[in-house]
Amino acid sequence: MTNLFCGRRSAAWLIMSALAAAVPAAYAADAYPCQVLRIVSPYPAGGTTDILARLIGPGLSKGLGVPVIVDNKAGASSNIGTESVVRSQADGCTALLGNNTGIVINRNLYKLKYEPTRDLTAVGLVASTPLLLYVNAEFPAKSVAELVDLLKKSPGKYSYASGGSGSPQHLLGEMIKIQKSVFMVHIPYRGQGPAQQDVLGGTVPIAFETITALTPQLKSPRIRVLATTSAKRDPKLPEVPTMNESGFTDFAFENWYGLFVPSKTPAPVVERLSQELQKVLRSPEVTAKLAELGSRDVSGTPAQAAKFIAKELPQWEAVVKRSGATVD
C-alpha cells in the first residue's frame, strides 16, 4: 500500500513539475510584459504618422493580448514626442511611430539631447510613401512650370506650408527654391494635419504632402495636385508627372515610417513586438489599406530596418545641406 501511495505521489509530482515547467515557457511565448502598449505619434491627429499608428494598433492589440493606445505628442518637428519615448522605461510598454524627420533629419538641424539612432531601437519599418506637390484650387498655377513662373515673377508673395521645420515637406520646398532660384515663404505648422487644413482652406496656397495623408482629398475640388516625388508616376495618379519630369533633377524622395522602442528594451521583447508587427503588416486588411494609401511594402526584421536607416542617414544629411534649410 505504501509503495502504491509513493508511486502515485511520485507520478503526481512529475506531472506537477512538468506543468510548472510549461507555465513559464507558455508565459514567455504568449504574454506581453505590459498591461497597455502606448504608441506615441509625435504629430497631431490627421497626419500620416497618426494614420499609420491607428492602422496597426488594433492588430498589435490582438496579437499581444493587451490594449494599444495612440498618444499624440506633437511639437518641435516631432522632437518632443520622440524624446519622450527615448526617456521612457525600456520595457516595451512605450513605442514611437517615428519617421525620417525625427530619426535621421532633425539630428542635422537641431541640438538634440539624444541621438535617435543610438537611443532608439527599430522594431521594424511600417510604410514608405512618396509625396505630392499640391496647391489650393484657387491658386492660378495649373502645372509645376506655371508655379515656378509665378514664384519668379513675385518673389516672396507666396508661401508654402509644412508640418514643421526640418520635415521632408519643408526640405522639398527649399529644394524648389534652390533649384529654380525662386523665393517663397515657409510656414511651419505643428504637424501635417494642420498644414493640410490650411491649404484646403486657402490660408496657405502651396504644400507637399504624402499620398497617404492626401488620399482622402485627391478628388476634392479644393486642391490641385501638380507633381509627385516618386521616381516613376504613381499608378493611382497616372496623369500626375514626377518632379523630375517637371524640370527638376534628383528630385525623387519618399517619407518612411517605423516603430521604435528605447534602445535598452530587452531583445526578447523587441523580437516579440517585431513578430507581431510583421503579422499585422502581412494581414490582408492592413496590406490592402496600405496599398490604398499609396505605401509600398517595407516590412522586415529589426536588423533589416536598422540597415535601411543606416543608408538613409547620409542621404538626408546631404539633402539638408543642399537645401540650405534652417530651423525657423
Side-chain angles (χ1 to χ4, degrees):
M1 186 71 176
T2 301
N3 288 339
L4 178 60
F5 175 76
C6 289
R8 287 177 175 171
R9 185 173 62 178
S10 297
W13 183 86
L14 288 172
I15 293 170
M16 291 176 64
S17 298
L19 289 172
V23 170
Y27 181 86
D30 298 326
Y32 195 67
C34 304
Q35 293 185 334
V36 175
L37 171 62
R38 183 170 65 98
I39 299 179
V40 173
S41 170
Y43 297 99
T48 308
T49 309
D50 179 70
I51 291 170
L52 293 173
R54 296 180 191 281
L55 177 62
I56 66 173
L60 287 177
S61 177
K62 181 179 179 181
L64 297 171
V66 300
V68 173
I69 61 171
V70 176
D71 183 4
N72 295 95
K73 277 187 174 297
S77 192
S78 82
N79 291 336
I80 291 175
T82 301
E83 185 170 1
S84 75
V85 176
V86 168
R87 307 297 179 206
S88 66
Q89 290 292 320
D91 52 10
C93 301
T94 303
L96 171 76
L97 202 301
N99 62 4
N100 41 355
T101 298
I103 304 301
V104 303
I105 294 175
N106 286 351
R107 60 200 296 276
N108 300 295
L109 289 166
Y110 293 85
K111 292 183 179 179
L112 301 176
K113 297 178 182 178
Y114 59 94
E115 167 51 56
T117 58
R118 180 196 64 213
D119 297 329
L120 292 168
T121 292
V123 174
L125 297 179
V126 173
S128 184
T129 177
L131 297 99
L132 300 174
L133 173 60
Y134 73 109
V135 296
N136 180 273
E138 300 298 320
F139 191 67
K142 302 294 192 296
S143 67
V144 176
E146 291 182 9
L147 169 63
V148 171
D149 285 344
L150 285 172
L151 296 177
K152 284 185 175 180
K153 290 175 182 177
S154 304
K157 178 179 179 180
Y158 303 107
S159 57
Y160 76 100
S162 85
S165 298
S167 64
Q169 289 86 342
H170 169 211
L171 297 180
L172 298 183
E174 296 302 305
M175 291 283 284
I176 288 178
K177 292 160 63 173
I178 293 294
Q179 287 201 21
K180 296 301 179 182
S181 300
V182 296
F183 181 70
M184 54 181 172
V185 180
H186 174 225
I187 309 295
Y189 286 76
R190 288 169 59 89
Q192 287 303 128
Q196 183 186 133
Q197 288 305 310
D198 269 11
V199 177
L200 288 167
T203 304
V204 183
I206 308 162
F208 280 95
E209 182 56 280
T210 65
I211 192 171
T212 301
L214 206 59
T215 289
Q217 304 296 341
L218 289 180
K219 295 181 180 180
S220 169
R222 295 192 290 169
I223 65 165
R224 181 183 306 115
V225 177
L226 302 184
T228 175
T229 65
S230 53
K232 299 180 180 179
R233 294 195 183 199
D234 192 282
K236 288 177 60 178
L237 301 167
E239 74 285 359
V240 176
T242 67
M243 290 294 289
N244 287 336
E245 288 176 322
S246 303
F248 288 81
T249 57
D250 298 325
F251 213 110
F253 299 98
E254 291 193 3
N255 262 23
W256 53 261
Y257 305 82
L259 194 66
F260 299 83
V261 291
S263 59
K264 294 183 181 179
T265 302
V269 175
V270 175
E271 182 59 27
R272 172 71 190 284
L273 191 53
S274 172
Q275 289 174 357
E276 296 301 337
L277 175 63
Q278 291 177 66
K279 288 179 186 177
V280 171
L281 295 175
R282 289 195 298 267
S283 66
E285 58 273 22
V286 171
T287 298
K289 187 62 176 178
L290 287 173
E292 178 188 328
L293 294 172
S295 172
R296 65 184 179 89
D297 182 13
V298 289
S299 59
T301 65
Q304 289 169 328
K307 185 177 180 180
F308 173 88
I309 292 168
K311 290 182 178 179
E312 287 282 295
L313 286 169
Q315 293 177 8
W316 282 103
E317 181 179 358
V319 170
V320 171
K321 290 181 178 177
R322 283 165 54 198
S323 70
T326 57
V327 176
D328 294 305

PDB file of all heavy atoms in Angstrom, residues 269-303:
ATOM      1  N   VAL A 269      11.750  41.107 -25.950  1.00  0.00           N
ATOM      2  CA  VAL A 269      10.568  41.960 -26.072  1.00  0.00           C
ATOM      3  C   VAL A 269      10.544  42.614 -27.448  1.00  0.00           C
ATOM      4  O   VAL A 269       9.498  42.675 -28.106  1.00  0.00           O
ATOM      5  CB  VAL A 269      10.549  43.031 -24.958  1.00  0.00           C
ATOM      6  CG1 VAL A 269       9.378  43.993 -25.163  1.00  0.00           C
ATOM      7  CG2 VAL A 269      10.454  42.375 -23.593  1.00  0.00           C
ATOM      8  N   VAL A 270      11.698  43.096 -27.898  1.00  0.00           N
ATOM      9  CA  VAL A 270      11.796  43.702 -29.236  1.00  0.00           C
ATOM     10  C   VAL A 270      11.409  42.681 -30.301  1.00  0.00           C
ATOM     11  O   VAL A 270      10.654  42.987 -31.238  1.00  0.00           O
ATOM     12  CB  VAL A 270      13.213  44.238 -29.500  1.00  0.00           C
ATOM     13  CG1 VAL A 270      13.335  44.760 -30.944  1.00  0.00           C
ATOM     14  CG2 VAL A 270      13.564  45.339 -28.517  1.00  0.00           C
ATOM     15  N   GLU A 271      11.913  41.464 -30.148  1.00  0.00           N
ATOM     16  CA  GLU A 271      11.637  40.409 -31.124  1.00  0.00           C
ATOM     17  C   GLU A 271      10.150  40.061 -31.145  1.00  0.00           C
ATOM     18  O   GLU A 271       9.564  39.880 -32.214  1.00  0.00           O
ATOM     19  CB  GLU A 271      12.465  39.168 -30.795  1.00  0.00           C
ATOM     20  CG  GLU A 271      12.287  38.020 -31.790  1.00  0.00           C
ATOM     21  CD  GLU A 271      12.666  38.384 -33.216  1.00  0.00           C
ATOM     22  OE1 GLU A 271      13.517  39.275 -33.405  1.00  0.00           O
ATOM     23  OE2 GLU A 271      12.092  37.780 -34.140  1.00  0.00           O
ATOM     24  N   ARG A 272       9.547  39.962 -29.965  1.00  0.00           N
ATOM     25  CA  ARG A 272       8.111  39.645 -29.906  1.00  0.00           C
ATOM     26  C   ARG A 272       7.289  40.749 -30.573  1.00  0.00           C
ATOM     27  O   ARG A 272       6.378  40.476 -31.368  1.00  0.00           O
ATOM     28  CB  ARG A 272       7.682  39.482 -28.441  1.00  0.00           C
ATOM     29  CG  ARG A 272       6.166  39.338 -28.261  1.00  0.00           C
ATOM     30  CD  ARG A 272       5.672  37.986 -28.760  1.00  0.00           C
ATOM     31  NE  ARG A 272       4.214  37.949 -28.812  1.00  0.00           N
ATOM     32  CZ  ARG A 272       3.413  37.829 -27.750  1.00  0.00           C
ATOM     33  NH1 ARG A 272       3.924  37.729 -26.529  1.00  0.00           N
ATOM     34  NH2 ARG A 272       2.113  37.793 -27.912  1.00  0.00           N
ATOM     35  N   LEU A 273       7.632  41.989 -30.270  1.00  0.00           N
ATOM     36  CA  LEU A 273       6.917  43.122 -30.858  1.00  0.00           C
ATOM     37  C   LEU A 273       7.118  43.161 -32.368  1.00  0.00           C
ATOM     38  O   LEU A 273       6.182  43.435 -33.133  1.00  0.00           O
ATOM     39  CB  LEU A 273       7.399  44.418 -30.212  1.00  0.00           C
ATOM     40  CG  LEU A 273       6.609  45.701 -30.486  1.00  0.00           C
ATOM     41  CD1 LEU A 273       5.131  45.507 -30.172  1.00  0.00           C
ATOM     42  CD2 LEU A 273       7.183  46.854 -29.674  1.00  0.00           C
ATOM     43  N   SER A 274       8.330  42.828 -32.808  1.00  0.00           N
ATOM     44  CA  SER A 274       8.629  42.794 -34.238  1.00  0.00           C
ATOM     45  C   SER A 274       7.811  41.717 -34.950  1.00  0.00           C
ATOM     46  O   SER A 274       7.256  41.952 -36.026  1.00  0.00           O
ATOM     47  CB  SER A 274      10.122  42.540 -34.467  1.00  0.00           C
ATOM     48  OG  SER A 274      10.394  42.331 -35.839  1.00  0.00           O
ATOM     49  N   GLN A 275       7.742  40.546 -34.352  1.00  0.00           N
ATOM     50  CA  GLN A 275       6.978  39.445 -34.963  1.00  0.00           C
ATOM     51  C   GLN A 275       5.507  39.820 -35.116  1.00  0.00           C
ATOM     52  O   GLN A 275       4.896  39.561 -36.155  1.00  0.00           O
ATOM     53  CB  GLN A 275       7.125  38.191 -34.112  1.00  0.00           C
ATOM     54  CG  GLN A 275       8.513  37.560 -34.171  1.00  0.00           C
ATOM     55  CD  GLN A 275       8.662  36.402 -33.201  1.00  0.00           C
ATOM     56  OE1 GLN A 275       7.739  36.092 -32.434  1.00  0.00           O
ATOM     57  NE2 GLN A 275       9.811  35.747 -33.212  1.00  0.00           N
ATOM     58  N   GLU A 276       4.954  40.446 -34.075  1.00  0.00           N
ATOM     59  CA  GLU A 276       3.542  40.832 -34.145  1.00  0.00           C
ATOM     60  C   GLU A 276       3.331  41.947 -35.169  1.00  0.00           C
ATOM     61  O   GLU A 276       2.323  41.958 -35.880  1.00  0.00           O
ATOM     62  CB  GLU A 276       3.033  41.260 -32.766  1.00  0.00           C
ATOM     63  CG  GLU A 276       3.037  40.158 -31.718  1.00  0.00           C
ATOM     64  CD  GLU A 276       2.181  38.960 -32.105  1.00  0.00           C
ATOM     65  OE1 GLU A 276       1.257  39.116 -32.935  1.00  0.00           O
ATOM     66  OE2 GLU A 276       2.438  37.854 -31.588  1.00  0.00           O
ATOM     67  N   LEU A 277       4.296  42.875 -35.251  1.00  0.00           N
ATOM     68  CA  LEU A 277       4.193  43.954 -36.239  1.00  0.00           C
ATOM     69  C   LEU A 277       4.200  43.385 -37.651  1.00  0.00           C
ATOM     70  O   LEU A 277       3.395  43.790 -38.502  1.00  0.00           O
ATOM     71  CB  LEU A 277       5.343  44.946 -36.063  1.00  0.00           C
ATOM     72  CG  LEU A 277       5.416  46.064 -37.117  1.00  0.00           C
ATOM     73  CD1 LEU A 277       4.176  46.945 -37.069  1.00  0.00           C
ATOM     74  CD2 LEU A 277       6.684  46.896 -36.926  1.00  0.00           C
ATOM     75  N   GLN A 278       5.094  42.433 -37.910  1.00  0.00           N
ATOM     76  CA  GLN A 278       5.153  41.835 -39.244  1.00  0.00           C
ATOM     77  C   GLN A 278       3.866  41.080 -39.581  1.00  0.00           C
ATOM     78  O   GLN A 278       3.404  41.101 -40.729  1.00  0.00           O
ATOM     79  CB  GLN A 278       6.367  40.908 -39.332  1.00  0.00           C
ATOM     80  CG  GLN A 278       7.701  41.666 -39.313  1.00  0.00           C
ATOM     81  CD  GLN A 278       8.893  40.733 -39.338  1.00  0.00           C
ATOM     82  OE1 GLN A 278       9.120  40.033 -40.316  1.00  0.00           O
ATOM     83  NE2 GLN A 278       9.659  40.704 -38.253  1.00  0.00           N
ATOM     84  N   LYS A 279       3.275  40.421 -38.580  1.00  0.00           N
ATOM     85  CA  LYS A 279       1.987  39.747 -38.812  1.00  0.00           C
ATOM     86  C   LYS A 279       0.910  40.754 -39.201  1.00  0.00           C
ATOM     87  O   LYS A 279       0.117  40.525 -40.114  1.00  0.00           O
ATOM     88  CB  LYS A 279       1.553  38.991 -37.550  1.00  0.00           C
ATOM     89  CG  LYS A 279       2.362  37.748 -37.237  1.00  0.00           C
ATOM     90  CD  LYS A 279       1.845  37.110 -35.948  1.00  0.00           C
ATOM     91  CE  LYS A 279       2.716  35.939 -35.521  1.00  0.00           C
ATOM     92  NZ  LYS A 279       2.259  35.373 -34.223  1.00  0.00           N
ATOM     93  N   VAL A 280       0.895  41.877 -38.492  1.00  0.00           N
ATOM     94  CA  VAL A 280      -0.099  42.917 -38.775  1.00  0.00           C
ATOM     95  C   VAL A 280       0.080  43.449 -40.193  1.00  0.00           C
ATOM     96  O   VAL A 280      -0.880  43.602 -40.952  1.00  0.00           O
ATOM     97  CB  VAL A 280       0.010  44.068 -37.749  1.00  0.00           C
ATOM     98  CG1 VAL A 280      -0.860  45.249 -38.177  1.00  0.00           C
ATOM     99  CG2 VAL A 280      -0.401  43.592 -36.365  1.00  0.00           C
ATOM    100  N   LEU A 281       1.335  43.735 -40.568  1.00  0.00           N
ATOM    101  CA  LEU A 281       1.599  44.312 -41.884  1.00  0.00           C
ATOM    102  C   LEU A 281       1.329  43.320 -43.014  1.00  0.00           C
ATOM    103  O   LEU A 281       1.098  43.740 -44.154  1.00  0.00           O
ATOM    104  CB  LEU A 281       3.050  44.807 -41.951  1.00  0.00           C
ATOM    105  CG  LEU A 281       3.398  45.967 -41.012  1.00  0.00           C
ATOM    106  CD1 LEU A 281       4.884  46.287 -41.093  1.00  0.00           C
ATOM    107  CD2 LEU A 281       2.567  47.201 -41.338  1.00  0.00           C
ATOM    108  N   ARG A 282       1.348  42.016 -42.706  1.00  0.00           N
ATOM    109  CA  ARG A 282       1.052  40.997 -43.724  1.00  0.00           C
ATOM    110  C   ARG A 282      -0.426  40.634 -43.779  1.00  0.00           C
ATOM    111  O   ARG A 282      -0.852  39.889 -44.657  1.00  0.00           O
ATOM    112  CB  ARG A 282       1.876  39.734 -43.462  1.00  0.00           C
ATOM    113  CG  ARG A 282       3.371  39.882 -43.749  1.00  0.00           C
ATOM    114  CD  ARG A 282       4.036  38.514 -43.829  1.00  0.00           C
ATOM    115  NE  ARG A 282       3.933  37.782 -42.570  1.00  0.00           N
ATOM    116  CZ  ARG A 282       4.845  37.784 -41.607  1.00  0.00           C
ATOM    117  NH1 ARG A 282       5.946  38.496 -41.771  1.00  0.00           N
ATOM    118  NH2 ARG A 282       4.673  37.085 -40.497  1.00  0.00           N
ATOM    119  N   SER A 283      -1.206  41.135 -42.833  1.00  0.00           N
ATOM    120  CA  SER A 283      -2.625  40.798 -42.809  1.00  0.00           C
ATOM    121  C   SER A 283      -3.317  41.412 -44.020  1.00  0.00           C
ATOM    122  O   SER A 283      -2.965  42.512 -44.459  1.00  0.00           O
ATOM    123  CB  SER A 283      -3.279  41.304 -41.526  1.00  0.00           C
ATOM    124  OG  SER A 283      -3.273  42.726 -41.496  1.00  0.00           O
ATOM    125  N   PRO A 284      -4.278  40.709 -44.600  1.00  0.00           N
ATOM    126  CA  PRO A 284      -4.931  41.191 -45.826  1.00  0.00           C
ATOM    127  C   PRO A 284      -5.531  42.587 -45.698  1.00  0.00           C
ATOM    128  O   PRO A 284      -5.410  43.406 -46.606  1.00  0.00           O
ATOM    129  CB  PRO A 284      -6.012  40.137 -46.081  1.00  0.00           C
ATOM    130  CG  PRO A 284      -5.520  38.907 -45.398  1.00  0.00           C
ATOM    131  CD  PRO A 284      -4.775  39.382 -44.192  1.00  0.00           C
ATOM    132  N   GLU A 285      -6.170  42.857 -44.554  1.00  0.00           N
ATOM    133  CA  GLU A 285      -6.840  44.148 -44.408  1.00  0.00           C
ATOM    134  C   GLU A 285      -5.847  45.307 -44.335  1.00  0.00           C
ATOM    135  O   GLU A 285      -6.050  46.371 -44.948  1.00  0.00           O
ATOM    136  CB  GLU A 285      -7.763  44.162 -43.180  1.00  0.00           C
ATOM    137  CG  GLU A 285      -7.101  43.866 -41.850  1.00  0.00           C
ATOM    138  CD  GLU A 285      -7.031  42.379 -41.521  1.00  0.00           C
ATOM    139  OE1 GLU A 285      -7.094  41.555 -42.451  1.00  0.00           O
ATOM    140  OE2 GLU A 285      -6.904  42.060 -40.329  1.00  0.00           O
ATOM    141  N   VAL A 286      -4.737  45.101 -43.608  1.00  0.00           N
ATOM    142  CA  VAL A 286      -3.738  46.169 -43.496  1.00  0.00           C
ATOM    143  C   VAL A 286      -2.962  46.317 -44.804  1.00  0.00           C
ATOM    144  O   VAL A 286      -2.675  47.434 -45.254  1.00  0.00           O
ATOM    145  CB  VAL A 286      -2.782  45.911 -42.309  1.00  0.00           C
ATOM    146  CG1 VAL A 286      -1.615  46.900 -42.311  1.00  0.00           C
ATOM    147  CG2 VAL A 286      -3.552  46.009 -40.992  1.00  0.00           C
ATOM    148  N   THR A 287      -2.634  45.192 -45.430  1.00  0.00           N
ATOM    149  CA  THR A 287      -1.952  45.242 -46.735  1.00  0.00           C
ATOM    150  C   THR A 287      -2.783  46.025 -47.741  1.00  0.00           C
ATOM    151  O   THR A 287      -2.258  46.878 -48.479  1.00  0.00           O
ATOM    152  CB  THR A 287      -1.712  43.812 -47.260  1.00  0.00           C
ATOM    153  OG1 THR A 287      -0.861  43.106 -46.350  1.00  0.00           O
ATOM    154  CG2 THR A 287      -1.040  43.854 -48.634  1.00  0.00           C
ATOM    155  N   ALA A 288      -4.074  45.743 -47.785  1.00  0.00           N
ATOM    156  CA  ALA A 288      -4.969  46.441 -48.721  1.00  0.00           C
ATOM    157  C   ALA A 288      -5.051  47.925 -48.395  1.00  0.00           C
ATOM    158  O   ALA A 288      -5.038  48.772 -49.299  1.00  0.00           O
ATOM    159  CB  ALA A 288      -6.354  45.812 -48.680  1.00  0.00           C
ATOM    160  N   LYS A 289      -5.127  48.251 -47.108  1.00  0.00           N
ATOM    161  CA  LYS A 289      -5.232  49.658 -46.708  1.00  0.00           C
ATOM    162  C   LYS A 289      -3.959  50.421 -47.041  1.00  0.00           C
ATOM    163  O   LYS A 289      -4.019  51.567 -47.532  1.00  0.00           O
ATOM    164  CB  LYS A 289      -5.527  49.751 -45.211  1.00  0.00           C
ATOM    165  CG  LYS A 289      -5.829  51.173 -44.739  1.00  0.00           C
ATOM    166  CD  LYS A 289      -7.058  51.738 -45.405  1.00  0.00           C
ATOM    167  CE  LYS A 289      -7.410  53.121 -44.873  1.00  0.00           C
ATOM    168  NZ  LYS A 289      -8.586  53.709 -45.547  1.00  0.00           N
ATOM    169  N   LEU A 290      -2.799  49.821 -46.808  1.00  0.00           N
ATOM    170  CA  LEU A 290      -1.535  50.477 -47.140  1.00  0.00           C
ATOM    171  C   LEU A 290      -1.421  50.715 -48.642  1.00  0.00           C
ATOM    172  O   LEU A 290      -0.951  51.771 -49.076  1.00  0.00           O
ATOM    173  CB  LEU A 290      -0.355  49.637 -46.636  1.00  0.00           C
ATOM    174  CG  LEU A 290      -0.135  49.637 -45.117  1.00  0.00           C
ATOM    175  CD1 LEU A 290       0.954  48.636 -44.744  1.00  0.00           C
ATOM    176  CD2 LEU A 290       0.234  51.025 -44.612  1.00  0.00           C
ATOM    177  N   ALA A 291      -1.864  49.738 -49.424  1.00  0.00           N
ATOM    178  CA  ALA A 291      -1.845  49.909 -50.887  1.00  0.00           C
ATOM    179  C   ALA A 291      -2.772  51.046 -51.297  1.00  0.00           C
ATOM    180  O   ALA A 291      -2.438  51.865 -52.159  1.00  0.00           O
ATOM    181  CB  ALA A 291      -2.248  48.607 -51.567  1.00  0.00           C
ATOM    182  N   GLU A 292      -3.930  51.099 -50.676  1.00  0.00           N
ATOM    183  CA  GLU A 292      -4.891  52.176 -50.955  1.00  0.00           C
ATOM    184  C   GLU A 292      -4.298  53.537 -50.609  1.00  0.00           C
ATOM    185  O   GLU A 292      -4.555  54.540 -51.282  1.00  0.00           O
ATOM    186  CB  GLU A 292      -6.157  51.942 -50.136  1.00  0.00           C
ATOM    187  CG  GLU A 292      -7.223  53.012 -50.284  1.00  0.00           C
ATOM    188  CD  GLU A 292      -8.365  52.826 -49.307  1.00  0.00           C
ATOM    189  OE1 GLU A 292      -8.674  51.666 -48.968  1.00  0.00           O
ATOM    190  OE2 GLU A 292      -8.952  53.838 -48.885  1.00  0.00           O
ATOM    191  N   LEU A 293      -3.473  53.571 -49.559  1.00  0.00           N
ATOM    192  CA  LEU A 293      -2.860  54.818 -49.121  1.00  0.00           C
ATOM    193  C   LEU A 293      -1.565  55.148 -49.868  1.00  0.00           C
ATOM    194  O   LEU A 293      -0.891  56.121 -49.550  1.00  0.00           O
ATOM    195  CB  LEU A 293      -2.578  54.750 -47.616  1.00  0.00           C
ATOM    196  CG  LEU A 293      -3.812  54.687 -46.707  1.00  0.00           C
ATOM    197  CD1 LEU A 293      -3.403  54.421 -45.276  1.00  0.00           C
ATOM    198  CD2 LEU A 293      -4.626  55.965 -46.811  1.00  0.00           C
ATOM    199  N   GLY A 294      -1.217  54.332 -50.859  1.00  0.00           N
ATOM    200  CA  GLY A 294      -0.059  54.630 -51.686  1.00  0.00           C
ATOM    201  C   GLY A 294       1.279  54.233 -51.095  1.00  0.00           C
ATOM    202  O   GLY A 294       2.328  54.724 -51.532  1.00  0.00           O
ATOM    203  N   SER A 295       1.274  53.334 -50.117  1.00  0.00           N
ATOM    204  CA  SER A 295       2.525  52.910 -49.491  1.00  0.00           C
ATOM    205  C   SER A 295       3.059  51.646 -50.143  1.00  0.00           C
ATOM    206  O   SER A 295       2.310  50.775 -50.563  1.00  0.00           O
ATOM    207  CB  SER A 295       2.314  52.638 -48.002  1.00  0.00           C
ATOM    208  OG  SER A 295       3.467  52.047 -47.427  1.00  0.00           O
ATOM    209  N   ARG A 296       4.373  51.551 -50.221  1.00  0.00           N
ATOM    210  CA  ARG A 296       4.990  50.315 -50.695  1.00  0.00           C
ATOM    211  C   ARG A 296       5.415  49.471 -49.499  1.00  0.00           C
ATOM    212  O   ARG A 296       5.606  49.979 -48.391  1.00  0.00           O
ATOM    213  CB  ARG A 296       6.176  50.596 -51.614  1.00  0.00           C
ATOM    214  CG  ARG A 296       7.357  51.285 -50.963  1.00  0.00           C
ATOM    215  CD  ARG A 296       8.431  51.600 -51.994  1.00  0.00           C
ATOM    216  NE  ARG A 296       9.579  52.281 -51.408  1.00  0.00           N
ATOM    217  CZ  ARG A 296      10.632  51.655 -50.885  1.00  0.00           C
ATOM    218  NH1 ARG A 296      10.680  50.330 -50.868  1.00  0.00           N
ATOM    219  NH2 ARG A 296      11.644  52.343 -50.384  1.00  0.00           N
ATOM    220  N   ASP A 297       5.569  48.186 -49.708  1.00  0.00           N
ATOM    221  CA  ASP A 297       5.898  47.241 -48.646  1.00  0.00           C
ATOM    222  C   ASP A 297       7.360  47.387 -48.235  1.00  0.00           C
ATOM    223  O   ASP A 297       8.261  47.189 -49.045  1.00  0.00           O
ATOM    224  CB  ASP A 297       5.631  45.808 -49.125  1.00  0.00           C
ATOM    225  CG  ASP A 297       5.912  44.770 -48.051  1.00  0.00           C
ATOM    226  OD1 ASP A 297       6.065  45.166 -46.882  1.00  0.00           O
ATOM    227  OD2 ASP A 297       5.985  43.581 -48.382  1.00  0.00           O
ATOM    228  N   VAL A 298       7.593  47.745 -46.983  1.00  0.00           N
ATOM    229  CA  VAL A 298       8.956  47.853 -46.458  1.00  0.00           C
ATOM    230  C   VAL A 298       9.111  47.032 -45.182  1.00  0.00           C
ATOM    231  O   VAL A 298      10.074  47.199 -44.444  1.00  0.00           O
ATOM    232  CB  VAL A 298       9.332  49.324 -46.172  1.00  0.00           C
ATOM    233  CG1 VAL A 298       9.514  50.108 -47.456  1.00  0.00           C
ATOM    234  CG2 VAL A 298       8.292  49.991 -45.274  1.00  0.00           C
ATOM    235  N   SER A 299       8.142  46.147 -44.903  1.00  0.00           N
ATOM    236  CA  SER A 299       8.172  45.386 -43.662  1.00  0.00           C
ATOM    237  C   SER A 299       9.393  44.480 -43.610  1.00  0.00           C
ATOM    238  O   SER A 299       9.917  44.046 -44.635  1.00  0.00           O
ATOM    239  CB  SER A 299       6.901  44.542 -43.529  1.00  0.00           C
ATOM    240  OG  SER A 299       6.783  43.652 -44.624  1.00  0.00           O
ATOM    241  N   GLY A 300       9.840  44.201 -42.384  1.00  0.00           N
ATOM    242  CA  GLY A 300      11.007  43.346 -42.210  1.00  0.00           C
ATOM    243  C   GLY A 300      11.434  43.291 -40.758  1.00  0.00           C
ATOM    244  O   GLY A 300      10.751  43.806 -39.870  1.00  0.00           O
ATOM    245  N   THR A 301      12.558  42.691 -40.512  1.00  0.00           N
ATOM    246  CA  THR A 301      13.067  42.482 -39.162  1.00  0.00           C
ATOM    247  C   THR A 301      13.713  43.753 -38.616  1.00  0.00           C
ATOM    248  O   THR A 301      14.003  44.692 -39.374  1.00  0.00           O
ATOM    249  CB  THR A 301      14.113  41.363 -39.166  1.00  0.00           C
ATOM    250  OG1 THR A 301      15.248  41.815 -39.945  1.00  0.00           O
ATOM    251  CG2 THR A 301      13.556  40.083 -39.764  1.00  0.00           C
ATOM    252  N   PRO A 302      13.996  43.794 -37.296  1.00  0.00           N
ATOM    253  CA  PRO A 302      14.725  44.928 -36.737  1.00  0.00           C
ATOM    254  C   PRO A 302      16.080  45.143 -37.414  1.00  0.00           C
ATOM    255  O   PRO A 302      16.476  46.289 -37.663  1.00  0.00           O
ATOM    256  CB  PRO A 302      14.888  44.538 -35.265  1.00  0.00           C
ATOM    257  CG  PRO A 302      13.709  43.673 -34.978  1.00  0.00           C
ATOM    258  CD  PRO A 302      13.500  42.879 -36.239  1.00  0.00           C
ATOM    259  N   ALA A 303      16.785  44.064 -37.729  1.00  0.00           N
ATOM    260  CA  ALA A 303      18.087  44.188 -38.378  1.00  0.00           C
ATOM    261  C   ALA A 303      17.954  44.805 -39.768  1.00  0.00           C
ATOM    262  O   ALA A 303      18.776  45.643 -40.175  1.00  0.00           O
ATOM    263  CB  ALA A 303      18.765  42.820 -38.467  1.00  0.00           C
TER     264      ALA A 303
END
